[in-house]
């Protein structure tokens, strides 16, 4: 009897698969859910329904189970019990997804097990952290965000998807869109910076880039908005630490990029390791069910973070593995990454009535839906084409794209004495710093599939400008020993033996270019710092070099804002070059020599000292913002440091200069119910070379029922200007930009005065105002 049922089921499934395979390409296209569509595709739903109707409870739970692959690790070591069961579970159809399996050969091998050996042959969705490129590395996301160029950011995600999909991957755990105001947190390198408006635009661009218009193409992959939510607000910037934030901060600062990602059609979300106001995000029903699935109507699925279901026990929230599984499933976490608790306990929990079977159906439905949208049922091996893998990964076109992105990501922080651009001839240049000759570090963190030492170094980039004399000296190592994604990085705090040679080289040069900062693995997951200075002996090296030759261009390589106050006071030119990926050295050289005019703007505030952190431009005024009487202490300040940042959010210079004038308000509709305010401003290029400028628009609602920040970004536009040229930039403010969430999570626009600021940085603007009735 049992055998006959099986045969019947298998036949039914084959029927379904055949039906799916027989669809013409055109129908196939129709089936794909457009990246921006919220609509449920009825044909896909019908297929999911029929599949669900023949799945056992264990098979449905199996879809909710995700295992790590066989060698790459992006979290604590998997437990032995998982390794022991992995193959058995794959064969039983008790695995819905694997992560960290990459390359056509290996993806095909695991896919083959489930497709050929499991009862229903449901394909796996293969996830990987494609954070800033797959093998051809783009700049780290924080750097890309400094471009403020949404087209370029989208293109970069497109290239990443192209390469990852050619390596068998169909799902990236990106974009990370955690707003963070704390540079101590190592994961700021993965995000879009501190601002919810800019962060939302970036979220949208990245999702569109990864997913494209048609998810069923074999060149696009599903994106994942992470980490939902609040992960970027870890106390003291220590990764995984407690998050305790107000409702207002949650809704006005943290959630907007996630909402934007959802609206851009992101197909998956990842929850987070942190607790949020006493409840772990993974077991947080308010976040996952009430906000994301109900209010926002998200119909994709939520994956837990690595082991985050089991970590609810350690948090002190779940008593044991079984109750952690119960809490996470009931709260809306659809897929268990590396806790193995769903596969171990959910069936029992359903039988005991502790988790409704309808919730299991809902989770499995969401996961199957995305697999259908990806076209995996049509062809489980659609991302497994060896020829494409060889042709696409590392192609010339991909390198050109990441080079373009890298140039756009560079921010000129300071350029006194017009030291930059460097002259192309007859200059004696000393290039100093271990990072200048480093081909690994520029690849940044989160570059698991990249080959080591494949970035173009600054030395290699600069060597292409042959008409100058270029002499290199290391000066000092930044780190000691091997560095890797999983192990702690050891910093050189003692060895200064190469200082002497570096000073000799510097003394004989017209200009010194010194590359200092953090190595690629000093930021990223688990890489929080309590100091934000130049690590190790680098600050000392800089001072020593300065003594022999003050004509210094400091090039920073780093994954977070640094407090380089001494450098700002002494060094004439400073270029923020982050970790720029595979083409790093070429991009930096082109900017140094003026073949590319920098236009990047900071997406995160640079503090003067770590004691100012958290520091951000959209702070609130307090009741004592300015010094009331010069000799009294009763105002909000530090005794030993200014309140202002070293470099403000939005700051970034060019080799030309821009001027803002004629800021005008044209009120189209001043009613709070449907405000339409047009803001126009003239931007002029005052210099003698063409340049691009990111014109920024900020508002302030000076009196509100809940206090509003002193400035909030509400628009920006990139303008290209020839020497002497003026362009008028237009912005529209409406109810989506003039309102805010009150403390009851209600979006409101209030009547009264609004101030408007336009300029090239949050701390350098011209002002006007208008009123809403
Ligand atoms: C843990 C990280 O927090 C998450 O961002 C990542 O996607 C997973 N590990 C998988 O590598």
């Amino acid at each position: 009897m049992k055998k006959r049922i099986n045969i019947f089921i298998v036949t039914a499934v084959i029927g379904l698969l055949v039906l799916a395979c027989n669809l013409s390409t055109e129908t196939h296209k129709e089936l794909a859910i457009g990246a921006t569509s919220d609509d449920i595709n009825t044909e896909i739903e019908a297929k999911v329904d029929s599949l669900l109707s023949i799945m056992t409870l264990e098979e449905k739970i199996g879809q909710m189970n995700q295992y790590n692959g066989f060698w790459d690790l992006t979290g604590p070591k998997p437990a032995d019990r998982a390794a022991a069961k992995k193959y058995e579970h794959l064969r039983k159809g008790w695995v819905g997804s694997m992560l960290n399996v990459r390359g056509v050969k290996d993806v095909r091998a695991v896919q083959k097990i489930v497709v050929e050996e499991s009862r229903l042959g449901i394909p796996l969705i293969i996830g990987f952290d494609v954070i800033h490129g797959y093998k051809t590395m783009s700049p780290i996301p924080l750097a890309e965000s400094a471009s403020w160029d949404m087209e370029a950011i989208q293109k970069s995600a497109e290239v990443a998807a192209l390469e990852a999909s050619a390596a068998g991957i169909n799902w990236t755990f990106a974009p990370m869109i955690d707003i963070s105001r704390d540079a101590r947190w190592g994961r700021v390198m993965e995000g879009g910076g501190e601002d919810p408006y800019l962060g939302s635009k970036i979220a949208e661009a990245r999702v569109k880039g990864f997913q494209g218009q048609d998810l069923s193409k074999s060149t696009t992959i599903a994106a994942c908005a992470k980490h939902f939510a609040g992960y970027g607000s870890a106390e003291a910037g220590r990764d995984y630490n407690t998050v305790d934030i107000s409702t207002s901060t949650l809704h006005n600062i943290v959630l907007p990029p996630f909402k934007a990602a959802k609206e851009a059609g992101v197909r998956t979300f990842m929850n987070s390791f942190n607790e949020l106001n006493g409840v772990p995000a993974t077991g947080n029903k308010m976040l996952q069910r009430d906000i994301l699935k109900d209010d926002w109507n998200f119909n994709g699925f939520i994956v837990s973070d690595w082991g985050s279901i089991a970590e609810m026990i350690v948090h002190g929230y779940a008593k044991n593995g079984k109750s952690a599984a119960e809490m996470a499933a009931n709260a809306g976490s659809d897929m268990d990454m590396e806790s193995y608790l769903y596969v171990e306990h959910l069936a029992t929990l359903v039988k005991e009535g502790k988790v409704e079977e309808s919730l299991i159906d809902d989770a499995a439905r969401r996961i199957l839906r995305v697999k259908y949208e990806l076209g995996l049922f049509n062809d489980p091996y659609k991302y497994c084409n060896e020829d494409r893998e060889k042709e696409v990964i590392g192609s010339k076109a991909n390198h050109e794209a990441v080079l373009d992105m890298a140039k756009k990501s560079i921010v000129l922080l300071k350029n006194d004495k017009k030291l930059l651009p460097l002259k192309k001839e007859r200059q004696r240049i000393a290039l100093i710093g271990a990072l200048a000759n480093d081909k690994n570090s520029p690849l940044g963190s989160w570059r698991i599939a990249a080959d080591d030492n494949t970035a173009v170094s600054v030395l290699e980039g600069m060597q292409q400008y042959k008409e100058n004399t270029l002499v290199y000296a290391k000066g000092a190592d930044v780190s000691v020993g091997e560095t890797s994604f999983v192990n702690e990085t050891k910093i050189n705090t003692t060895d200064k033996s190469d200082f002497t040679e570096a000073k000799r080289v510097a003394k004989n040069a017209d200009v010194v270019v010194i590359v200092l900062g953090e190595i690629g693995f000093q930021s990223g997951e688990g890489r929080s710092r309590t100091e934000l200075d130049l690590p190790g002996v680098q600050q000392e090296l800089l001072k020593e070099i300065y003594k022999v030759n003050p004509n210094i261009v400091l090039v920073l390589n780093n994954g977070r804002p640094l407090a380089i106050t001494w450098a700002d006071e002494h060094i004439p030119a400073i270029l923020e070059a982050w970790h720029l990926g595979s083409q790093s050295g070429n991009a930096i050289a082109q900017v140094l020599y003026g073949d590319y005019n920098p236009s990047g703007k900071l997406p995160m505030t640079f503090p003067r000292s770590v004691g100012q952190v958290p520091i951000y431009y959209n702070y609130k005024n307090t009741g004592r913002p300015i010094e009331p009487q010069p000799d009294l202490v009763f105002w909000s300040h530090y005794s030993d440091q200014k309140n202002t940042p070293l470099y403000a959010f939005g700051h970034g210079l060019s080799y030309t200069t821009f001027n803002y004038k004629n800021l005008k308000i044209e009120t189209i509709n001043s009613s709070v119910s449907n405000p339409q305010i047009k803001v126009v401003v003239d931007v002029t290029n005052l210099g003698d070379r063409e340049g691009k400028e990111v014109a920024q628009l900020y508002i302030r609602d000076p009196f509100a029922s809940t206090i509003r920040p002193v400035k909030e970004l509400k628009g920006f536009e990139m303008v290209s200007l020839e020497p002497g040229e003026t362009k008028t930039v237009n912005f529209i403010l409406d109810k989506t930009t003039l309102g805010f969430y009150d403390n009851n999570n209600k979006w409101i626009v209030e009547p009264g005065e609004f101030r408007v600021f336009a300029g090239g940085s949050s701390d350098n603007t011209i002002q006007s105002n208008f009123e809403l009735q």
Side-chain angles (χ1 to χ4, degrees), residues 6 50 91 151 282 337 369-370 418 501 524 542 567 634 724:
N6 281 350
S50 9
R91 291 195 177 98
E151 232 174 82
T282 304
M337 179 195 288
R369 181 182 287 145
V370 175
K418 295 227 165 151
E501 169 63 3
L542 183 61
F634 307 110

Side-chain angles (χ1 to χ4, degrees), residues 12-13 15-17 19-21 23 28 31-33 41 43-52 54-55 120 122-123 125 214-217 364-379 382-383:
V13 172
L16 271 171
L17 290 174
L19 179 72
C21 288
L23 291 167
H28 188 179
L31 282 185
I33 291 192
N41 181 304
E43 283 191 63
I44 285 183
E45 291 311 296
K47 287 181 180 178
V48 174
D49 277 341
S50 9
L51 189 48
L52 278 175
I54 58 170
M55 289 171 78
L120 296 175
I122 299 173
I125 178 168
D214 182 353
L215 206 53
S216 74
K217 280 188 170 171
R365 173 186 299 284
R366 289 167 179 273
I367 295 161
L368 293 171
R369 181 182 287 145
V370 175
K371 290 185 178 182
Y372 271 109
E373 290 167 9
L374 284 165
L376 284 167
F377 283 94
N378 282 3
D379 177 5
K382 60 179 286 211
Y383 301 89

